[in-house]
Amino acid sequence: MSTETRRRGAVDRLRASPFLSKLLSNRLALVGLAIILGMLAIALYARFTLDPQALASSRLGTEIPDRAPPGWTGSAAVDQYLFGTDSAARDIFRRCLYGAWLALQFGTITVGLSTVVGVGLGIVAAYYGDVTDNVVMRTMDVLLAFPPLLLALALVAIFPRELGLWRAVAALTLVYTPRFARVIRGAALKVLEDEYVDATVALGAADPRVLVRHVLPNTLAPITVQSTLNFGLAIIDLAALSFLGFGAQAGTPSWGLMLSRGVENGLLTGRWWLSFFPGLFLAITVLGFNLLGDGMRDALDPRMREAID
């Protein structure tokens, strides 16, 4: 079979996929996907073209004016200060662009870690049951009993301040893990009721093989949806922790920290651009992940709405 024939066969299978056909027919999901791809392009551009140290350094005392309004208002050069400058005379436009890289980078790490830990705990609890299930899920219930942001604030205070956004990642990983564990445990219990799992166990398959080769692949749908929905939550919670002073260190071009400094230095003085543009980038990014997550949930199984919500 030629390479071209195999490529056409793969394309035909993708076109015939019920999931893709439903997802591509959802206009809001496509809007969300377009937003995410746009933010990813911005993040990669900022990562490879902008210097984070230069973006974090204060420009006070130079020829650059501090808290200058956006360039398109006619008060500054458009090519230099499209979004204006902040209280340290730094370019808000470039800082917002690099903030996209930080948001996607640390959001991916947070969701990835919580997915791995939560999925592992959920599958193990469903498979072994009894004492293991009670210990794991009761621990998850205790964590779920606390408001997420309040629990994150309590956990983030444990880690050294020098870790910056990494301590926020560690705290949010612990906060999000119970959500994955609960959802995946329910999905795994349904898979374990199927006869082919009993047949695999009867043939002498080891527990790791049953979990990895048979249970895990059949729980990918809720894992994918939960990860996509939690991505938006992770980005906004990382920004919230930075806004409250428990995330990014001073000077870091993080959207949450920029919002905090913008509110502090411009909310009551009419300098709206200090906090408007970081907030706009944050809102658009979270909206994109929420739209895509909702579309994927409806395309995979509308009944998952009740389980995930």
Side-chain angles (χ1 to χ4, degrees):
M1 183 181 295
S2 65
T3 303
E4 183 65 24
T5 302
R6 288 196 297 268
R7 184 180 302 135
R8 289 180 179 178
V11 172
D12 291 338
R13 287 194 297 271
L14 288 176
R15 290 177 177 174
S17 171
F19 165 71
L20 285 180
S21 62
K22 291 181 180 179
L23 183 63
L24 295 178
S25 63
N26 189 324
R27 295 182 179 179
L28 291 179
L30 294 179
V31 171
L33 180 61
I35 292 174
I36 294 172
L37 293 177
M39 284 298 171
L40 179 60
I42 291 173
L44 293 176
Y45 168 80
R47 170 63 179 83
F48 293 107
T49 62
L50 301 180
D51 183 6
Q53 293 184 350
L55 295 175
S57 302
S58 174
R59 299 297 181 87
L60 291 175
T62 65
E63 69 280 2
I64 303 175
D66 62 288
R67 287 172 283 193
W72 42 267
T73 63
S75 301
V78 175
D79 58 341
Q80 292 183 356
Y81 313 119
L82 183 62
F83 290 173
T85 60
D86 61 11
S87 58
R90 296 172 297 208
D91 188 358
I92 295 178
F93 175 68
R94 289 184 174 87
R95 285 172 61 81
C96 283
L97 296 185
Y98 200 85
W101 165 253
L102 294 179
L104 294 183
Q105 177 192 12
F106 287 98
T108 301
I109 296 173
T110 301
V111 174
L113 290 175
S114 57
T115 299
V116 171
V117 177
V119 169
L121 291 175
I123 290 180
V124 167
Y127 184 76
Y128 290 103
D130 296 333
V131 177
T132 302
D133 186 21
N134 284 325
V135 171
V136 171
M137 296 315 299
R138 296 302 75 78
T139 304
M140 298 300 103
D141 289 341
V142 170
L143 294 176
L144 286 170
F146 294 93
L149 188 57
L150 181 62
L151 178 60
L153 287 172
L155 293 172
V156 79
I158 301 174
F159 303 102
R161 190 178 186 86
E162 292 74 17
L163 292 177
L165 280 170
W166 287 107
R167 62 175 183 160
V169 168
L172 291 177
T173 297
L174 296 176
V175 171
Y176 294 157
T177 293
R179 304 179 184 181
F180 285 96
R182 183 181 64 176
V183 172
I184 304 310
R185 173 184 175 274
L189 287 174
K190 293 182 180 180
V191 174
L192 291 171
E193 294 176 354
D194 295 335
E195 294 181 354
Y196 72 87
V197 176
D198 295 332
T200 303
V201 174
L203 290 174
D207 292 348
R209 179 181 178 84
V210 175
L211 294 176
V212 175
R213 294 292 301 274
H214 300 283
V215 179
L216 181 60
N218 288 285
T219 59
L220 288 180
I223 292 174
T224 303
V225 175
Q226 186 73 15
S227 298
T228 307
L229 291 173
N230 272 22
F231 216 115
L233 290 174
I235 290 176
I236 201 168
D237 284 343
L238 285 169
L241 290 176
S242 295
F243 183 89
L244 296 172
F246 293 93
Q249 293 181 324
T252 305
S254 163
W255 290 338
L257 190 59
M258 293 171 68
L259 272 170
S260 176
R261 297 296 179 264
V263 170
E264 179 181 345
N265 296 298
L267 184 63
L268 300 179
T269 59
R271 297 182 176 92
W272 54 270
W273 59 90
L274 298 179
S275 56
F276 175 78
F277 293 110
L280 181 63
F281 269 73
L282 176 62
I284 291 175
T285 304
V286 174
L287 176 64
F289 280 104
N290 287 344
L291 292 177
L292 180 61
D294 288 340
M296 294 179 64
R297 176 174 58 187
D298 294 338
L300 287 169
D301 186 358
R303 293 174 296 178
M304 275 199 295
R305 180 183 301 272
E306 297 179 359
I308 294 178
D309 288 342

